[in-house]
Amino acid sequence: MAAPTASFGPSTLAAWCLVSSGPSRYVLGMQELFRGHSKTREFLAHSAKVHSVAWSCDGRRLASDCQRLLLEKVRLVKENNHGGHGDSVEQLCWHPSNPDLFVTASGDKTIRIWDVRTTKCIATVNTKGENITICWNPDGQTIAMGNKDDVVTFIDAKTHRSKAEEQFKFEVNKISWNNDNNMFFLTNGNGCINIFSYPELKPVQPINTHPSNCICINADALASLWDVDELVCVHCFSRLDCFGREDHFIDIAEVETGDKLWEVQCESPTFTVAWHPKRPLLAFACDDKDGKYDSSREAGTVKLFGLPNDS
């Protein structure tokens, strides 16, 4: 996963300008940048394991499960807690263009839409099963969610009513649209990506991507980069570029070549990662434990990598 465009001060931008002349200079520029911005800071956000972190489209806010944090220079400030779900929040997703809206999927058989200008949810949609994955389509008009029974439901974001529902005969792990909003993707338990036309939801082509379960963190220790126009694999990363895994580090790689840019050390396996949309800041959460009083108690911390070393 390539690091996003920086928006630091003039001295940092001088190093960042090295990215303009090709992959090799990009790699050198990014490595130089991270040498001066390799600090990771922890923020206590929850009393239990953090399942999901995501940035708003403008990068001003980071949401972790139902906790909202405000980015202020080099730190995250707890802004609000959006309570209401009767079970853990499995995943959240911000609106693609409205930085005030995000949606959460929970095992309590509901999804909830939230507005950051209020602490209460603006809509609750009851679902048929325990929800594990959710995403917003590029134009912000539709929300798709998948549950443990491998049912994917499409919800109208304005009326909050179901537009379509599909039951699949395979394990559905993650779902997403392409940026053109004319294809819908599912990763499944057979190591495949299933592609459907949208909104018709007619099968286009299954792609065999991995020899084992295909999820965000692939069980065969490979991350594959695909061209969705040509439906071909353009690069295979054997080190898991910028994905957490059971090893205690996050590997950040350059997309085109797979060259390592940096390695973020962690004390436990990583569950979720999210790049800031405008700056080379990486939010992530691990399987941390509160060792002070109970070694089995989940710490619920959110971490931010890419801060200045002197901050």
Side-chain angles (χ1 to χ4, degrees):
M1 183 182 294
T5 304
S7 59
F8 292 109
S11 60
T12 303
L13 284 175
W16 190 269
C17 286
L18 292 172
V19 307
S20 62
S21 300
S24 61
R25 297 189 69 184
Y26 175 88
V27 170
L28 293 174
M30 289 301 301
Q31 290 173 341
E32 179 65 23
L33 178 71
F34 286 137
R35 271 192 284 272
H37 295 77
S38 60
K39 185 173 182 177
T40 298
R41 182 170 291 169
E42 294 186 1
F43 304 88
L44 183 60
H46 301 272
S47 58
K49 179 173 67 177
V50 178
H51 294 84
S52 180
V53 293
W55 293 97
S56 59
C57 61
D58 62 359
R60 293 189 62 241
R61 292 179 172 89
L62 176 74
S64 59
D65 297 349
C66 275
Q67 180 70 58
R68 195 174 78 241
L69 305 169
L70 182 67
L71 179 64
E72 290 187 353
K73 295 183 179 179
V74 295
R75 65 193 183 106
L76 291 170
V77 179
K78 188 178 292 186
E79 189 177 44
N80 231 319
N81 181 45
H82 298 269
H85 278 296
D87 203 342
S88 63
V89 173
E90 297 297 326
Q91 193 176 10
L92 67 91
C93 184
W94 286 88
H95 190 284
S97 57
N98 186 339
D100 293 329
L101 298 180
F102 68 97
V103 62
T104 53
S106 172
D108 65 0
K109 298 184 179 182
T110 70
I111 68 167
R112 293 175 184 250
I113 302 174
W114 308 85
D115 190 318
V116 301
R117 294 165 294 190
T118 176
T119 57
K120 298 180 179 179
C121 71
I122 59 174
T124 300
V125 180
N126 294 311
T127 63
K128 294 181 178 180
E130 298 178 43
N131 305 299
I132 58 174
T133 183
I134 196 163
C135 64
W136 223 310
N137 78 328
D139 64 17
Q141 296 182 12
T142 306
I143 298 168
M145 59 187 175
N147 65 28
K148 288 185 177 180
D149 298 320
D150 304 315
V151 176
V152 176
T153 305
F154 297 85
I155 302 294
D156 187 303
K158 291 183 178 180
T159 66
H160 311 133
R161 295 181 178 178
S162 175
K163 298 168 61 176
E165 183 178 281
E166 291 286 331
Q167 170 73 65
F168 294 95
K169 296 181 180 180
F170 50 77
E171 177 185 321
V172 176
N173 291 318
K174 293 295 179 180
I175 55 178
S176 180
W177 275 273
N178 66 336
N179 289 334
D180 292 331
N181 201 34
N182 59 8
M183 288 193 289
F184 188 74
F185 298 79
L186 302 132
T187 63
N188 69 35
N190 300 319
C192 296
I193 298 175
N194 292 82
I195 305 173
F196 299 85
S197 63
Y198 186 80
E200 301 84 6
L201 294 179
K202 296 189 179 299
V204 175
Q205 181 179 342
I207 300 176
N208 293 315
T209 57
H210 299 273
S212 59
N213 197 345
C214 186
I215 52 179
C216 282
I217 305 173
N218 301 296
D220 60 359
L222 294 174
S224 301
L225 179 67
W226 290 79
D227 184 318
V228 296
D229 292 325
E230 301 295 333
L231 298 181
V232 294
C233 180
V234 296
H235 203 94
C236 191
F237 302 92
S238 60
R239 296 196 325 273
L240 289 174
D241 74 314
C242 196
F243 289 96
R245 53 173 295 178
E246 292 184 358
D247 295 332
H248 295 176
F249 65 89
I250 299 171
D251 191 333
I252 302 177
E254 200 269 335
V255 168
E256 292 186 8
T257 65
D259 291 338
K260 177 177 283 192
L261 300 179
W262 204 259
E263 188 175 285
V264 183
Q265 293 296 323
C266 308
E267 296 181 356
S268 55
T270 306
F271 285 134
T272 176
V273 296
W275 277 118
H276 189 280
K278 300 178 181 179
R279 299 167 59 182
L281 294 172
L282 184 71
F284 63 99
C286 302
D287 187 21
D288 293 333
K289 307 297 182 184
D290 185 2
K292 293 182 179 179
Y293 307 105
D294 184 355
S295 60
S296 64
R297 181 181 176 184
E298 296 166 336
T301 55
V302 173
K303 303 183 182 185
L304 190 62
F305 163 79
L307 300 172
N309 295 345
D310 57 359
S311 64

